[in-house]
Amino acid sequence: MFTKNFNDEIGEELLSQRAQQDTVLLGETTYKFFADIWPEEPNTDPFAKHINQVKKIVFSKTLTFAPWGQYKAADIINGNTLEEINKLKKEPGKDIVIIGSANLIQNLAALDLIDEYQIMLEPIILGGGKPLFLNYKDPVDLQLSKSRAFTNGAVALYYQPIKNT
């Protein structure tokens, strides 16, 4: 997400998304990475201000406490993911988002719990990384609901899974 191609135009897109979100889901690895960085960033950074103030939930089988610097600690879910996510979705509030956390995305997708995929395609080949779409039993048809091309060549893609009933 934060490559040399990141610019104000992409930042504005991401901030408009964040305005619609009040809960962030994180896997344990992403949580540890974020918790070391974002609580120390000044709230003049719009992403820091957002991530530090919203409700954070960490999915982990090993953590018992998830501190977030001077801010409220993140909640931890280590039990029935399907049940816990369905409870979260029924709560009043804004959207729930997963940032990073490829394993968590894979697990929630396998349980058919992803309502929208928001993918930022950047014009850079990193030469490595973790596959996002892994271990799907069946194909998942997606419908493009929105796209936006940026002047630096990046493209934001928004897809909704087509529910096969």
Side-chain angles (χ1 to χ4, degrees), residues 83-142:
E83 182 180 310
E84 294 293 337
I85 292 293
N86 281 327
K87 278 198 282 188
L88 276 173
K89 284 181 158 192
K90 290 177 183 171
E91 291 179 6
K94 296 181 180 180
D95 292 343
I96 302 167
V97 65
I98 305 168
I99 302 176
S101 309
N103 290 341
L104 178 58
I105 292 169
Q106 292 166 6
N107 291 334
L108 297 184
L111 295 169
D112 196 29
L113 292 171
I114 306 282
D115 296 325
E116 181 177 67
Y117 293 93
Q118 299 177 357
I119 299 169
M120 181 67 72
L121 181 61
E122 299 247 5
I124 185 170
I125 298 172
L126 297 176
K130 190 174 228 173
L132 182 58
F133 304 107
L134 188 65
N135 299 328
Y136 284 76
K137 294 182 286 184
D138 299 308
V140 177
D141 293 321
L142 301 174

Side-chain angles (χ1 to χ4, degrees):
M1 178 169 92
F2 299 101
T3 68
K4 66 180 181 177
N5 294 313
F6 189 86
N7 62 20
D8 288 343
E9 190 180 23
I10 292 173
E12 289 169 12
E13 178 76 10
L14 295 176
L15 284 176
S16 72
Q17 292 174 7
R18 301 296 174 254
Q20 305 305 315
Q21 304 159 352
D22 65 0
T23 303
V24 174
L25 307 182
L26 302 166
E28 184 173 336
T29 302
T30 303
Y31 157 73
K32 288 178 179 177
F33 177 71
F34 278 18
D36 281 343
I37 296 171
W38 294 113
E40 303 305 317
E41 290 294 315
N43 276 341
T44 54
D45 178 301
F47 183 77
K49 182 177 180 179
H50 172 77
I51 194 79
N52 288 334
Q53 293 176 353
V54 297
K55 178 178 182 177
K56 290 165 285 299
I57 301 173
V58 179
F59 287 76
S60 172
K61 295 195 184 312
T62 60
L63 293 176
T64 56
F65 183 61
W68 197 267
Q70 65 185 2
Y71 302 95
K72 182 182 182 304
D75 295 331
I76 297 173
I77 291 179
N78 60 12
N80 185 326
T81 300
L82 178 63
E83 182 180 310
E84 294 293 337
I85 292 293
N86 281 327
K87 278 198 282 188
L88 276 173
K89 284 181 158 192
K90 290 177 183 171
E91 291 179 6
K94 296 181 180 180
D95 292 343
I96 302 167
V97 65
I98 305 168
I99 302 176
S101 309
N103 290 341
L104 178 58
I105 292 169
Q106 292 166 6
N107 291 334
L108 297 184
L111 295 169
D112 196 29
L113 292 171
I114 306 282
D115 296 325
E116 181 177 67
Y117 293 93
Q118 299 177 357
I119 299 169
M120 181 67 72
L121 181 61
E122 299 247 5
I124 185 170
I125 298 172
L126 297 176
K130 190 174 228 173
L132 182 58
F133 304 107
L134 188 65
N135 299 328
Y136 284 76
K137 294 182 286 184
D138 299 308
V140 177
D141 293 321
L142 301 174
Q143 181 171 338
L144 183 66
S145 58
K146 177 182 167 187
S147 65
R148 179 175 175 195
F150 300 95
T151 55
N152 68 354
V155 181
L157 302 164
Y158 299 80
Y159 288 101
Q160 294 177 335
I162 297 172
K163 306 289 183 182
N164 297 322
T165 54

